[in-house]
Amino acid sequence: MCKGLSALPSSCLEKAKEMKVKLTHLAEKSNKHRAQEEKAPLDLESLLNSKAGLQAFHWFLRSEFSEENLAFWLACKEYKTMPETKLSSKAQSIYTQFINPDAPQEVNLDSETREALIDRMDTLAADMFAEAQQRIFTLMAKDSFPRFLRSPYCQHAVRGA
């Protein structure tokens, strides 16, 4: 019959207690690290501001044949930083590439936003594409981004970070 812990020498019991304290400390440290990782979830804005994340998201969208939204979002971002002398040609380029109904990479904008853009083509401003850019960002955040998070592209990007 088992005599329990009382049969063990006191030195063994002390060593066991020390090991228990050390293991508890390591477990707590591991749990804190895991909790910190979980508190910092990946969001689309952070992804787009990360070179590696942006590249992974781009490759993912390319694999789905839906990279036009990201290309439009990036073109609008670039447009905001351009000198006034180049706004007209860049605006026309964005319109031709993404807005025009015959555009090679037409983005999915609602008719109201599309019409507002067409009306503003004559009065250029750095924020002229802001609303359309936000709508496409929202579309990516609700549609493409959740699929990206479940994809091997995301897993690869996270491992590389």
Side-chain angles (χ1 to χ4, degrees), residues 18-30:
E18 287 175 25
M19 288 182 70
K20 181 181 176 187
V21 168
K22 287 180 181 177
L23 288 172
T24 302
H25 178 71
L26 284 173
E28 287 173 358
K29 201 174 185 180
S30 176

Side-chain angles (χ1 to χ4, degrees), residues 118-133:
I118 292 169
D119 291 344
R120 293 184 72 193
M121 286 300 290
D122 294 333
T123 52
L124 301 173
D127 66 345
M128 121 177 227
F129 293 103
E131 183 180 345
Q133 183 185 24

Side-chain angles (χ1 to χ4, degrees), residues 5-78:
L5 295 176
S6 61
L8 292 173
S10 63
S11 62
C12 288
L13 290 174
E14 287 176 29
K15 291 274 187 197
K17 284 180 184 178
E18 287 175 25
M19 288 182 70
K20 181 181 176 187
V21 168
K22 287 180 181 177
L23 288 172
T24 302
H25 178 71
L26 284 173
E28 287 173 358
K29 201 174 185 180
S30 176
N31 288 340
K32 280 183 185 177
H33 181 69
R34 191 176 300 117
Q36 286 173 345
E37 287 177 348
E38 291 170 1
K39 282 182 185 176
L42 186 60
D43 63 81
L44 183 56
E45 189 172 342
S46 299
L47 181 82
L48 295 176
N49 288 319
S50 155
K51 187 174 182 177
L54 179 63
Q55 184 177 17
F57 191 52
H58 177 253
W59 284 108
F60 167 74
L61 292 174
R62 180 174 280 180
S63 76
E64 289 199 332
F65 304 100
S66 62
E67 62 189 302
E68 69 278 353
N69 289 332
L70 180 59
F72 173 75
W73 188 88
L74 291 169
C76 292
K77 182 179 177 182
E78 180 185 3

